[in-house]
Amino acid sequence: MFKEIIELGKRLETEGKLPPPGFYYYGQPIKWKIHLRHCHPNFVYVEEIPLDKPRPFCGRTSRVEAHPCVDEAGYVLHVAKQRGGGNDDKVKEKHKEFVRLLRKAYRSPLIKGKELKSAVWIAQSKQWRRLVSQQVKSKNILNKDWVAIVFNDGPFEDTSLYELPDMQQFWQKELRERTRQDTETGKAKMGVCSICGEYQQMAKKIPVWVKLFKPAPLHSYNKDSFVSYIEGIQVFEGKAHLGQCVICGDTIARTLNYLTGNILHYKIIAQDRHKGKLITDSAQNQFALFWLKDKQFIKAGETILDPSELLRNVSSVMDRSEKNTPPPDTKQLENMLTVPWTGRDASVNIADNAFYLLILSPNKGRIAVRDWLDISLDKLQQNLKAFLDAQRIIDPDGKEKRCFGIPEILKAVEASNISKEPHKVVEIGNPNVSCQLLRTAYLGESPPSVLLESAVMCMRNPKIFDEKKKTTRHILMATLKMLLTHKKEGMKEMETLDTNRKAIGHLCGRLLSILEEAQLRAARWKINTTLVERFYGSASSAPASVFGTLVRRATTDHFPKIRKQQLGYKDLEAQIESVETAIDQAGGYPKTLSLKEQAEFSLGFYHQRAKFNEKRKVNKQNDKKEESNEQQ
């Protein structure tokens, strides 16, 4: 995992999207430039020119730690005056440390060019700082203002000294020294970095923190295979950090921050909310960071997709709906998956490219790695198609088939959401479920079985049959269908009503829907609640206890009215006889149904009900057309 992140980081550095190791962005820009000259040691000019550039970063807080050739005015210019009044008590110590660091750079073998050595020597001298004191007062430079040193002549004219390659190497070596682990005798602990494999100083801390909701250090739940090896013999167990050098750790942190700051590369899978308030430190929050191994164009059928468009489409199963908006549509991805994928160029094999996905969670002031997915593009296409095909199902009105993203599934199966308004719903509280769903979508693994019980229990709540919960019912049915048919036979047939399906649970569910339809027709659809609200729970778990009574009541109370009022008696009677015959052939009404059979019951009931709704709407439309024709 770290190897793939490092490779991405190096690629981003090459593309100029990521600063070099040891450098990072600050909240404040560089405000002042101090212009010096080699040929005129008495020349000094202070220019106000805000520059928001990455600078040497060591993660200092209240400690006195200087950066080479660029730092706060307190370090560079011995400016004590603070914003809002008062003076910095540590300014003398800060400036002394800044000069000491420049002298160290001057003596370092990493600073090779004579011109740069000369510039560093001038930068550390007292001469120009005496000359600049008047300009500091007139320009009102403050203690925390960032200042960079620039030379106006020579080979690096108008380039800040800290940006030169030799100075960057010096800083990276300095950073290794500042972040190293020491032995009891004060020597640097040496070891093989578990990421780059080089024998060097082990890092005690990583300066850059990873930002999810707020910055925090990256760690993981240690397992035996993740312990740290230092000096080849010592093993840190328990709360030990992974053995790594600071450059690798720093590159990983900067790369992850690039991903979390780019909407193309991250999605929030789950959020932990209590009474509407986001709990930012909870491990139930989950961030998915994803990218492609190679930035290659691919052909999906006749369509050419650039890497950004491909990422947007394959990550659409992680899209979340905003407040009071319909679930995100996966139609574009579905269309893309129905055609073969190839490289744009004949020489490119998409099996050599890969999709990476990293799941992170905040955890008590730190950030934990939850999961890591690595899959080639050809298998990714197959797995995503299987994930969406398994859950595609007709809507409650029998009009449109569709699939849903993972956040929508997590909201639908959370039982407490059924009584809430749409804008107050939350995701299911178990983070392992969302991780497993991601593995189902991208790796093709089986859906999490815990969803079966959650979805079945949601269907037993009478409030789920409220008209406002139509979308939730649709998602629950898509979830149950996925659980029953993922990578199995019957996936296509179960998208709509399958009258050939002989599963006993499915037949009992259909029968309940037919009995409800009989009740509705007998009352000419002028009732607010039906037998479903009262009997769905017992009918779906113990059919033998209720169906005898319900069928008898329909036969004596509802069917005579339907026949008398000519509301489709023959059609309904044929359907109930067909289903009852199939139930008899299967051994009659079962005393109880297993959880899986209850899921079949829900799907049978849902499909049959959707079929009735579809016919009803078609009949209404035909009636309106006839009325319109008569009026004309």
Side-chain angles (χ1 to χ4, degrees), residues 226-292:
F226 300 150
V227 295
S228 304
Y229 293 86
I230 306 295
E231 294 282 4
I233 52 173
Q234 295 182 16
V235 179
F236 290 97
E237 296 178 344
K239 298 179 180 178
H241 291 235
L242 188 67
Q244 58 184 291
C245 67
V246 67
I247 299 303
C248 285
D250 178 76
T251 303
I252 288 168
R254 286 180 297 113
T255 306
L256 293 181
N257 281 338
Y258 172 84
L259 296 174
T260 59
N262 191 328
I263 193 65
L264 181 65
H265 292 285
Y266 90 92
K267 305 273 185 190
I268 298 177
I269 302 298
Q271 290 183 333
D272 186 10
R273 290 185 178 275
H274 181 66
K275 295 182 178 180
K277 183 180 179 183
L278 182 65
I279 313 298
T280 58
D281 210 24
S282 168
Q284 290 185 15
N285 297 299
Q286 293 193 337
F287 284 70
L289 313 184
F290 45 89
W291 67 97
L292 296 172

Side-chain angles (χ1 to χ4, degrees), residues 16-34:
K17 296 177 180 177
L18 207 64
F23 287 66
Y24 204 62
Y25 293 94
Y26 286 78
Q28 291 182 327
I30 295 171
K31 189 174 182 179
W32 306 97
K33 273 188 176 181
I34 306 294

Side-chain angles (χ1 to χ4, degrees), residues 411-420 424-427 458 461:
K411 290 176 189 172
V413 297
E414 173 56 50
S416 63
N417 285 339
I418 295 176
S419 304
K420 294 178 181 174
K424 291 185 178 178
V425 299
V426 296
E427 292 84 2
C458 285
N461 188 334

Side-chain angles (χ1 to χ4, degrees), residues 309-326:
E309 198 170 357
L310 177 64
L311 265 187
R312 254 191 298 276
N313 280 312
V314 299
S315 64
S316 61
V317 295
M318 297 185 277
D319 284 346
R320 303 165 58 86
S321 60
E322 300 299 326
K323 287 183 179 179
N324 299 325
T325 58

